[in-house]
Amino acid sequence: MKITYYGHASLGIEVNNVTILVDPFITGNPKASHIDIDALEADYILITHAHQDHILDVEAIAKRTDAVLVSNFEIISHFEKLGLEGHPMNHGGQWDFEFGTVKYVNAIHTSSFPDGSYGGQPGGFVIEGEHKNIYIAGDTALTFDMKLIPLRTKLDLAILPIGDNFTMGIDDAIIASDFVDCDKVLGYHFDTFGYIEIDHEEAKRKFFDKDKDLMLLDIGASIEL
Ligand code: NI
Ligand code: MN
């Protein structure tokens, strides 16, 4: 499983010869100006919630690639009206896709569309594929519900928001990594705008001091699990 960071909360995942994008927000992120969305492959696009900084490039990429969208029922209904293909889910449900299993899990946040219309409840994803298991938390506070994840799934990587203000910050993310029983963390949802700028060295040191590993990737960089 290969994971690429496209800035903010945008990810690419290559698993079992399928390419998944998560929460594509690239053309609106000046820090990701070197990423060309017209060059991105996508068989599936996973969407955690309806906020603009998670859906901005969904329509453009899905129209070009015919990617299947995976999200909550309300978000899929919204995009189906725009002519896109989707697979609706809701919290606690999982589905076996061609590339592996996806479970839509709880997040504590909000989920309105940019025009204020209802975007269902926000979530995260647990993805199991190629004998690797990852948790993509989405935008969320620290929540006890995270403790449910390791009851079913031994994670190899937890992808957690660390920018604070709109989501949990570093100190809560360290507790979250305990809750999900995974000491290997990829940080996201930081530095994109002023409210969520972080000190990278301090963040990594705080994880290191708890015998945990926080990875912060350059935009466009990848890791292999
Ligand atoms: Ni959000
Ligand atoms: Mn966000």
Side-chain angles (χ1 to χ4, degrees):
M1 189 185 288
K2 182 182 176 186
I3 298 167
T4 304
Y5 182 54
Y6 290 122
H8 196 54
S10 308
L11 303 163
I13 302 168
E14 287 171 45
V15 54
N16 285 318
N17 300 313
V18 163
T19 302
I20 302 165
L21 290 181
V22 182
D23 287 357
F25 171 78
I26 294 162
T27 59
N29 181 2
K31 293 181 191 304
S33 59
H34 57 296
I35 306 294
D36 175 11
I37 64 162
D38 292 327
L40 294 179
E41 299 292 316
D43 299 301
Y44 293 86
I45 301 176
L46 273 52
I47 305 163
T48 61
H49 66 294
H51 286 162
Q52 181 79 315
D53 61 316
H54 298 257
I55 66 163
L56 179 67
D57 296 319
V58 167
E59 192 178 351
I61 295 170
K63 282 206 162 132
R64 178 178 55 80
T65 61
D66 287 327
V68 176
L69 312 186
V70 179
S71 189
N72 69 32
F73 178 82
E74 290 79 6
I75 289 172
I76 295 305
S77 299
H78 167 91
F79 283 113
E80 282 177 344
K81 284 184 205 137
L82 301 176
L84 304 180
E85 185 187 348
H87 178 112
M89 300 186 74
N90 218 323
H91 299 90
Q94 72 178 35
W95 184 262
D96 292 328
F97 291 87
E98 57 182 310
F99 58 84
T101 300
V102 174
K103 186 172 188 180
Y104 192 60
V105 296
N106 297 350
I108 295 189
H109 192 68
T110 55
S111 179
S112 49
F113 282 99
D115 67 358
S117 61
Y118 181 57
Q121 297 295 309
F125 295 101
V126 174
I127 302 173
E128 304 184 5
E130 280 180 356
H131 308 291
K132 297 292 178 189
N133 304 326
I134 66 171
Y135 167 48
I136 300 169
D139 285 9
T140 184
L142 177 66
T143 162
F144 272 114
D145 287 346
M146 292 169 177
K147 291 189 171 192
L148 299 173
I149 292 168
L151 298 181
R152 290 282 306 278
T153 306
K154 178 66 189 139
L155 294 175
D156 297 288
L157 179 71
I159 302 175
L160 305 177
I162 56 171
D164 223 328
N165 193 75
F166 296 114
T167 67
M168 59 186 174
I170 294 293
D171 296 317
D172 281 351
I174 289 169
I175 297 169
S177 85
D178 282 334
F179 283 4
V180 300
D181 194 18
C182 181
D183 291 331
K184 193 171 175 185
V185 172
L186 175 64
Y188 79 163
H189 212 278
F190 64 94
D191 280 2
T192 316
F193 23 77
Y195 289 120
I196 62 174
E197 281 170 3
I198 66 160
D199 180 329
H200 293 206
E201 290 315 309
E202 182 188 27
K204 287 183 195 168
R205 182 182 49 73
K206 282 184 167 183
F207 272 78
F208 182 80
D209 287 347
K210 300 284 186 185
D211 291 324
K212 297 173 185 291
D213 180 22
L214 174 68
M215 288 172 285
L216 302 178
L217 294 177
D218 289 336
I219 295 175
S222 302
I223 52 169
E224 197 85 46
L225 288 184

Short mmCIF file of all heavy atoms in Angstrom, two decimals, residues 35-59:
data_model
loop_
_atom_site.label_atom_id
_atom_site.label_comp_id
_atom_site.label_asym_id
_atom_site.label_seq_id
_atom_site.Cartn_x
_atom_site.Cartn_y
_atom_site.Cartn_z
N ILE A 35 0.91 20.44 -7.65
CA ILE A 35 0.15 19.22 -7.95
C ILE A 35 -0.90 19.56 -9.01
O ILE A 35 -1.72 20.46 -8.83
CB ILE A 35 -0.57 18.69 -6.68
CG1 ILE A 35 0.42 18.49 -5.52
CG2 ILE A 35 -1.34 17.41 -7.00
CD1 ILE A 35 1.44 17.41 -5.73
N ASP A 36 -0.87 18.81 -10.12
CA ASP A 36 -1.80 19.04 -11.23
C ASP A 36 -2.95 18.04 -11.11
O ASP A 36 -2.75 16.84 -11.32
CB ASP A 36 -1.04 18.86 -12.56
CG ASP A 36 -1.97 18.97 -13.76
OD1 ASP A 36 -3.14 19.38 -13.60
OD2 ASP A 36 -1.51 18.63 -14.87
N ILE A 37 -4.14 18.53 -10.79
CA ILE A 37 -5.25 17.57 -10.58
C ILE A 37 -5.61 16.84 -11.88
O ILE A 37 -6.16 15.75 -11.84
CB ILE A 37 -6.51 18.21 -9.96
CG1 ILE A 37 -7.13 19.26 -10.86
CG2 ILE A 37 -6.24 18.75 -8.57
CD1 ILE A 37 -8.58 19.57 -10.49
N ASP A 38 -5.27 17.45 -13.04
CA ASP A 38 -5.57 16.78 -14.31
C ASP A 38 -4.65 15.59 -14.56
O ASP A 38 -4.89 14.81 -15.49
CB ASP A 38 -5.49 17.78 -15.46
CG ASP A 38 -6.60 18.82 -15.38
OD1 ASP A 38 -7.70 18.46 -14.90
OD2 ASP A 38 -6.36 19.97 -15.75
N ALA A 39 -3.61 15.47 -13.76
CA ALA A 39 -2.69 14.34 -13.91
C ALA A 39 -2.94 13.25 -12.87
O ALA A 39 -2.28 12.21 -12.87
CB ALA A 39 -1.24 14.83 -13.79
N LEU A 40 -3.92 13.47 -11.99
CA LEU A 40 -4.17 12.49 -10.93
C LEU A 40 -5.09 11.38 -11.42
O LEU A 40 -6.11 11.65 -12.03
CB LEU A 40 -4.80 13.17 -9.71
CG LEU A 40 -3.94 14.18 -8.95
CD1 LEU A 40 -4.74 14.76 -7.79
CD2 LEU A 40 -2.66 13.53 -8.45
N GLU A 41 -4.70 10.16 -11.13
CA GLU A 41 -5.56 9.01 -11.39
C GLU A 41 -6.53 8.85 -10.23
O GLU A 41 -6.21 9.20 -9.09
CB GLU A 41 -4.72 7.73 -11.49
CG GLU A 41 -3.71 7.73 -12.60
CD GLU A 41 -4.38 7.71 -13.95
OE1 GLU A 41 -5.35 6.94 -14.11
OE2 GLU A 41 -3.98 8.50 -14.82
N ALA A 42 -7.70 8.31 -10.51
CA ALA A 42 -8.62 7.97 -9.42
C ALA A 42 -9.62 6.92 -9.89
O ALA A 42 -10.35 7.13 -10.85
CB ALA A 42 -9.36 9.21 -8.94
N ASP A 43 -9.62 5.77 -9.21
CA ASP A 43 -10.67 4.79 -9.41
C ASP A 43 -11.80 5.02 -8.42
O ASP A 43 -12.96 4.75 -8.71
CB ASP A 43 -10.11 3.38 -9.24
CG ASP A 43 -9.02 3.08 -10.25
OD1 ASP A 43 -9.31 3.15 -11.46
OD2 ASP A 43 -7.88 2.80 -9.83
N TYR A 44 -11.42 5.50 -7.23
CA TYR A 44 -12.38 5.82 -6.18
C TYR A 44 -11.98 7.15 -5.55
O TYR A 44 -10.78 7.47 -5.47
CB TYR A 44 -12.40 4.75 -5.08
CG TYR A 44 -12.93 3.41 -5.55
CD1 TYR A 44 -12.07 2.49 -6.15
CD2 TYR A 44 -14.27 3.08 -5.39
CE1 TYR A 44 -12.55 1.26 -6.60
CE2 TYR A 44 -14.75 1.86 -5.83
CZ TYR A 44 -13.89 0.95 -6.43
OH TYR A 44 -14.37 -0.26 -6.86
N ILE A 45 -12.97 7.90 -5.08
CA ILE A 45 -12.69 9.09 -4.26
C ILE A 45 -13.46 8.95 -2.96
O ILE A 45 -14.70 8.87 -2.97
CB ILE A 45 -13.08 10.39 -4.98
CG1 ILE A 45 -12.32 10.53 -6.31
CG2 ILE A 45 -12.80 11.61 -4.07
CD1 ILE A 45 -12.74 11.74 -7.14
N LEU A 46 -12.75 8.87 -1.85
CA LEU A 46 -13.37 8.78 -0.53
C LEU A 46 -13.50 10.20 0.03
O LEU A 46 -12.55 10.99 -0.05
CB LEU A 46 -12.51 7.92 0.41
CG LEU A 46 -12.77 6.41 0.38
CD1 LEU A 46 -12.70 5.83 -1.00
CD2 LEU A 46 -11.81 5.69 1.33
N ILE A 47 -14.66 10.49 0.59
CA ILE A 47 -14.95 11.83 1.10
C ILE A 47 -15.40 11.71 2.55
O ILE A 47 -16.40 11.05 2.84
CB ILE A 47 -16.05 12.51 0.26
CG1 ILE A 47 -15.66 12.52 -1.22
CG2 ILE A 47 -16.32 13.93 0.77
CD1 ILE A 47 -16.83 12.79 -2.15
N THR A 48 -14.67 12.36 3.47
CA THR A 48 -15.00 12.22 4.90
C THR A 48 -16.19 13.06 5.30
O THR A 48 -16.98 12.66 6.15
CB THR A 48 -13.80 12.60 5.79
OG1 THR A 48 -13.45 13.98 5.55
CG2 THR A 48 -12.60 11.71 5.52
N HIS A 49 -16.29 14.28 4.73
CA HIS A 49 -17.41 15.17 5.05
C HIS A 49 -17.50 16.27 4.00
O HIS A 49 -16.68 16.32 3.09
CB HIS A 49 -17.29 15.72 6.48
CG HIS A 49 -16.13 16.63 6.72
ND1 HIS A 49 -14.82 16.20 6.67
CD2 HIS A 49 -16.06 17.95 7.02
CE1 HIS A 49 -14.02 17.21 6.93
NE2 HIS A 49 -14.73 18.29 7.14
N ALA A 50 -18.52 17.13 4.11
CA ALA A 50 -18.91 17.99 2.98
C ALA A 50 -18.23 19.36 2.96
O ALA A 50 -18.50 20.16 2.08
CB ALA A 50 -20.43 18.17 2.99
N HIS A 51 -17.35 19.63 3.90
CA HIS A 51 -16.72 20.95 3.91
C HIS A 51 -15.88 21.18 2.66
O HIS A 51 -15.27 20.25 2.12
CB HIS A 51 -15.86 21.13 5.17
CG HIS A 51 -16.66 21.33 6.42
ND1 HIS A 51 -16.15 21.14 7.69
CD2 HIS A 51 -17.95 21.73 6.59
CE1 HIS A 51 -17.08 21.42 8.59
NE2 HIS A 51 -18.18 21.76 7.94
N GLN A 52 -15.82 22.46 2.27
CA GLN A 52 -15.14 22.84 1.03
C GLN A 52 -13.69 22.36 0.99
O GLN A 52 -13.20 21.97 -0.07
CB GLN A 52 -15.19 24.38 0.91
CG GLN A 52 -14.54 24.94 -0.33
CD GLN A 52 -15.43 24.81 -1.55
OE1 GLN A 52 -16.03 23.78 -1.80
NE2 GLN A 52 -15.52 25.89 -2.31
N ASP A 53 -13.02 22.40 2.13
CA ASP A 53 -11.60 22.01 2.14
C ASP A 53 -11.43 20.48 2.08
O ASP A 53 -10.33 19.97 2.31
CB ASP A 53 -10.87 22.60 3.36
CG ASP A 53 -11.43 22.14 4.69
OD1 ASP A 53 -12.68 22.09 4.84
OD2 ASP A 53 -10.63 21.80 5.60
N HIS A 54 -12.54 19.76 1.74
CA HIS A 54 -12.47 18.31 1.54
C HIS A 54 -13.12 17.85 0.24
O HIS A 54 -12.91 16.72 -0.19
CB HIS A 54 -13.10 17.59 2.75
CG HIS A 54 -12.36 17.89 4.01
ND1 HIS A 54 -11.49 17.01 4.60
CD2 HIS A 54 -12.31 19.02 4.76
CE1 HIS A 54 -10.95 17.59 5.66
NE2 HIS A 54 -11.43 18.81 5.78
N ILE A 55 -13.92 18.74 -0.37
CA ILE A 55 -14.64 18.33 -1.59
C ILE A 55 -14.33 19.18 -2.81
O ILE A 55 -14.85 18.90 -3.90
CB ILE A 55 -16.18 18.34 -1.37
CG1 ILE A 55 -16.70 19.76 -1.14
CG2 ILE A 55 -16.58 17.41 -0.24
CD1 ILE A 55 -18.21 19.90 -1.33
N LEU A 56 -13.52 20.22 -2.67
CA LEU A 56 -13.38 21.22 -3.74
C LEU A 56 -13.14 20.60 -5.12
O LEU A 56 -13.76 21.00 -6.10
CB LEU A 56 -12.25 22.20 -3.40
CG LEU A 56 -11.99 23.28 -4.45
CD1 LEU A 56 -13.17 24.25 -4.54
CD2 LEU A 56 -10.71 24.04 -4.15
N ASP A 57 -12.23 19.63 -5.21
CA ASP A 57 -11.84 19.10 -6.53
C ASP A 57 -12.51 17.77 -6.87
O ASP A 57 -12.15 17.13 -7.86
CB ASP A 57 -10.31 18.94 -6.58
CG ASP A 57 -9.60 20.28 -6.47
OD1 ASP A 57 -10.08 21.25 -7.10
OD2 ASP A 57 -8.59 20.37 -5.75
N VAL A 58 -13.50 17.36 -6.07
CA VAL A 58 -14.16 16.07 -6.31
C VAL A 58 -14.80 16.03 -7.69
O VAL A 58 -14.58 15.09 -8.48
CB VAL A 58 -15.23 15.78 -5.23
CG1 VAL A 58 -16.13 14.62 -5.65
CG2 VAL A 58 -14.56 15.47 -3.89
N GLU A 59 -15.60 17.05 -8.01
CA GLU A 59 -16.38 17.02 -9.25
C GLU A 59 -15.46 17.00 -10.47
O GLU A 59 -15.66 16.18 -11.39
CB GLU A 59 -17.33 18.22 -9.29
CG GLU A 59 -18.35 18.10 -10.39
CD GLU A 59 -19.33 19.28 -10.42
OE1 GLU A 59 -19.33 20.11 -9.49
OE2 GLU A 59 -20.10 19.35 -11.40
#
